[in-house]
Amino acid sequence: MSRKPIIAGNWKMNKTAKESRAFIEDVKLDIPSNDLVDAVIGAPAIFLEAMTEAVQGTDLQVAAQNCYWEDEGAFTGESSPKTLSDLGVDYVIIGHSERRQYFHESNEEINKKAHAIFRNGMKPIICCGETLETYEAGNAEEFVGQQITAALNELTEGQVQSLVIAYEPIWAIGTGKSATKDDAQKMCKTIRHIVAENFNQEVADQVRIQYGGSVKPENIAEYLACPDVDGALVGGASLQPESFLSLLEAIN
Ligand code: 13P
């Protein structure tokens, strides 16, 4: 089963519009072809328009880091999925552990966002992952299974096979303490199994599953070599042009 790898940078709340344009200028000629890899940058909502303009004519794609589940209305401060789509955004990252932890997002809300993203012609990157406590108690697979089952509720088979799931154990995010490749493979395989149970094997064989958590140029190849890991969602190591390009070089 060959699935196209997807390497996505998650810039979180970093950079200005000017810095983002300079980054795109630096990397754009060296992005590998879209036929080989989906190279994506997840930028803050406030300068997504600058990003979608800057990547035109390149093989880079743009992700938002969040959106609301209604297309419009009286929801002060939220980002409309309809507007993100209109700006040319390709993917929306949803359910990141920082949003679950600091903004109390629930599995049900994440599922509503997934539906809204598809309704507007974009694709979700759905994050999941357990705390250190849950990992040490041996309950990670059950916990992540519940997150995934809830997030995918009532999506169609066609939608699920086109979306991306990012397994990001919370204890590995920004800590420098990355999961072992065996841990990453084991959980990505479990997630694929859950997709097969909830939908079918064909859908599970198509869905792309990333690992995230302290991924860097030095360790990305280990993860990409795992049969059920189809790419990476990268925070800190995606912020510098050279480092982002080195991550993409791991695809061959
Ligand atoms: P780091 O790569 O900085 O650990 O962040 C991972 C992450 O949260 C990506 O979404």
Side-chain angles (χ1 to χ4, degrees), residues 102-130:
Y102 305 136
F103 306 99
H104 312 295
E105 289 193 5
S106 68
N107 285 331
E108 291 68 30
E109 288 169 346
I110 291 157
N111 176 247
K112 286 200 256 184
K113 292 180 183 196
H115 283 276
I117 291 162
F118 277 120
R119 187 170 69 236
N120 286 285
M122 300 175 290
K123 289 178 185 164
I125 298 176
I126 302 176
C127 302
C128 59
E130 79 287 354

Side-chain angles (χ1 to χ4, degrees), residues 152 154-157 160 194-201 203:
L152 303 184
E154 304 219 343
L155 292 177
T156 66
E157 291 175 5
V160 176
I194 290 161
V195 173
E197 275 185 350
N198 291 350
F199 294 86
N200 60 50
Q201 192 59 47
V203 172

Side-chain angles (χ1 to χ4, degrees), residues 47-186:
F47 57 77
L48 282 169
E49 185 166 18
M51 289 290 287
T52 54
E53 280 171 11
V55 302
Q56 278 196 16
T58 77
D59 278 319
L60 262 177
Q61 299 171 77
V62 175
Q65 298 174 8
N66 181 35
C67 70
Y68 196 57
W69 59 78
E70 298 287 351
D71 289 353
E72 58 211 354
F75 304 105
T76 302
E78 291 293 319
S79 296
S80 152
K82 184 176 164 192
T83 305
L84 295 177
S85 176
D86 183 59
L87 288 181
V89 168
D90 305 288
Y91 293 90
V92 186
I93 299 168
I94 51 172
H96 193 281
S97 62
E98 288 149 17
R99 294 216 55 87
R100 293 178 190 258
Q101 185 180 349
Y102 305 136
F103 306 99
H104 312 295
E105 289 193 5
S106 68
N107 285 331
E108 291 68 30
E109 288 169 346
I110 291 157
N111 176 247
K112 286 200 256 184
K113 292 180 183 196
H115 283 276
I117 291 162
F118 277 120
R119 187 170 69 236
N120 286 285
M122 300 175 290
K123 289 178 185 164
I125 298 176
I126 302 176
C127 302
C128 59
E130 79 287 354
T131 61
L132 185 58
E133 203 184 2
T134 303
Y135 175 79
E136 287 179 344
N139 297 329
E141 295 185 43
E142 189 190 340
F143 182 83
V144 169
Q146 284 168 358
Q147 288 182 321
I148 292 303
T149 298
L152 303 184
N153 189 36
E154 304 219 343
L155 292 177
T156 66
E157 291 175 5
Q159 288 172 335
V160 176
Q161 65 187 29
S162 72
L163 59 74
V164 180
I165 295 171
Y167 168 56
E168 300 203 305
I170 296 170
W171 45 270
I173 295 177
T175 59
K177 186 180 182 295
S178 50
T180 64
K181 66 175 183 352
D182 292 344
D183 269 344
Q185 163 58 22
K186 189 167 160 222

Side-chain angles (χ1 to χ4, degrees), residues 10 12 96 98 168 172-174 213-215 233-236:
N10 175 8
K12 308 191 179 183
H96 193 281
E98 288 149 17
E168 300 203 305
I173 295 177
S214 298
V215 174
L233 183 57
V234 187

